[in-house]
C-alpha cells in the first residue's frame, strides 16, 4: 500500500441506464448479463477514481438478483470503495430499479467486486490507503464489510446443504 491516501467519498460513483429492449429478456426484464456489465463498469469507475490508475476486475462475489428491472425503468448503480489491499481495491455496488413515472425505487441486487490497480506498464501497483473522514463514510464502510461477511457466510451455508 502506498503512503498516499484517498477517501471513500472520492470513490463514490452513480451510474444510470435506461432499460431498453436490447437489454431485456422475453419477459421485458433486464438481462442478468447486462446488469453484471453495468455493475462492473460502475465498480471500475469507483476504483479508478479512488487510485487515479487504470483498474482491472479481479473478482465479483456472489450475485443474487432479488428483483427485476422492467423495460422502461432506470437501472441505478451506486458504487464506492470500502477496503483496500496492497494493489487491490474492494468496491460495493448496489443496483436499484427506478420507475421514472412514479419515482418509486427498489433494490434489485448488490455485489462486491475486487479490482487491481495497474501502472503504465500493466503491472499491479500499490493503491492509496483508504481514509473515512466522516461518520457517514465510516458507517458506509462498516456496513459494506459486514454485508460482505454475511454474504460470504450465506454462500458457504448454501454449499454445505
Amino acid at each position: 500500500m502506498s503512503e498516499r491516501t484517498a477517501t471513500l467519498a472520492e470513490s463514490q460513483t452513480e451510474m444510470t441506464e435506461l432499460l431498453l429492449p436490447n437489454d431485456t429478456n422475453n419477459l421485458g426484464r433486464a438481462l442478468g448479463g447486462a446488469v453484471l456489465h453495468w455493475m462492473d463498469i460502475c465498480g471500475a469507475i469507483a476504483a479508478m477514481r479512488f487510485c487515479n490508475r487504470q483498474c482491472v476486475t479481479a473478482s465479483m462475489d456472489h450475485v443474487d438478483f432479488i428483483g427485476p428491472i422492467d423495460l422502461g425503468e432506470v437501472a441505478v448503480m451506486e458504487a464506492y470503495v470500502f477496503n483496500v489491499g496492497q494493489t487491490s481495491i474492494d468496491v460495493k455496488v448496489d443496483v436499484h430499479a427506478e420507475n421514472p413515472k412514479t419515482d418509486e425505487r427498489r433494490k434489485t441486487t448488490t455485489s462486491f467486486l475486487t479490482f487491481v490497480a495497474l501502472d503504465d506498464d500493466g503491472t499491479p501497483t500499490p493503491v492509496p490507503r483508504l481514509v473515512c473522514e466522516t461518520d457517514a463514510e465510516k458507517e458506509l464502510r462498516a456496513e459494506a464489510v459486514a454485508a460482505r461477511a454475511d454474504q460470504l457466510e450465506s454462500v458457504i451455508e448454501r454449499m454445505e446443504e
Side-chain angles (χ1 to χ4, degrees):
M1 206 174 328
S2 74
E3 293 301 315
R4 213 167 50 87
T5 62
T7 66
L8 183 148
E10 290 175 284
S11 73
Q12 288 184 305
T13 301
E14 180 177 284
M15 191 174 102
T16 58
E17 291 282 340
L18 178 63
L19 186 60
L20 298 172
N22 211 32
D23 290 318
T24 63
N25 60 23
N26 60 336
L27 300 174
R29 295 182 166 159
L31 290 166
V35 175
L36 294 174
H37 176 79
W38 298 332
M39 292 173 77
D40 189 31
I41 291 171
C42 190
I45 293 168
M48 289 187 288
R49 284 179 167 172
F50 179 79
C51 69
N52 299 117
R53 293 278 187 183
Q54 181 63 44
C55 294
V56 293
T57 309
S59 70
M60 178 182 277
D61 286 7
H62 182 84
V63 179
D64 283 322
F65 295 99
I66 59 173
I69 304 170
D70 293 316
L71 181 64
E73 288 187 319
V74 177
V76 180
M77 284 65 60
E78 297 171 317
Y80 61 89
V81 171
F82 71 93
N83 211 5
V84 297
Q86 281 291 101
T87 61
S88 63
I89 302 168
D90 293 329
V91 178
K92 181 180 184 201
V93 182
D94 293 311
V95 182
H96 291 82
E98 188 177 277
N99 183 325
K101 295 177 184 175
T102 65
D103 291 332
E104 174 199 359
R105 192 174 194 177
R106 63 189 184 286
K107 187 173 183 176
T108 63
T109 193
T110 293
S111 191
F112 303 93
L113 291 81
T114 300
F115 296 87
V116 174
L118 303 177
D119 65 16
D120 293 338
D121 295 322
T123 303
T125 191
V127 299
R129 187 171 50 84
L130 175 63
V131 175
C132 295
E133 294 182 322
T134 66
D135 288 341
E137 288 179 52
K138 290 174 186 168
E139 187 175 323
L140 272 178
R141 183 184 183 281
E143 287 173 6
V145 168
R148 186 180 215 182
D150 289 346
Q151 186 184 66
L152 292 173
E153 188 175 309
S154 174
V155 170
I156 290 168
E157 287 173 7
R158 286 187 216 173
M159 292 176 67
E160 292 175 346
E161 290 179 355

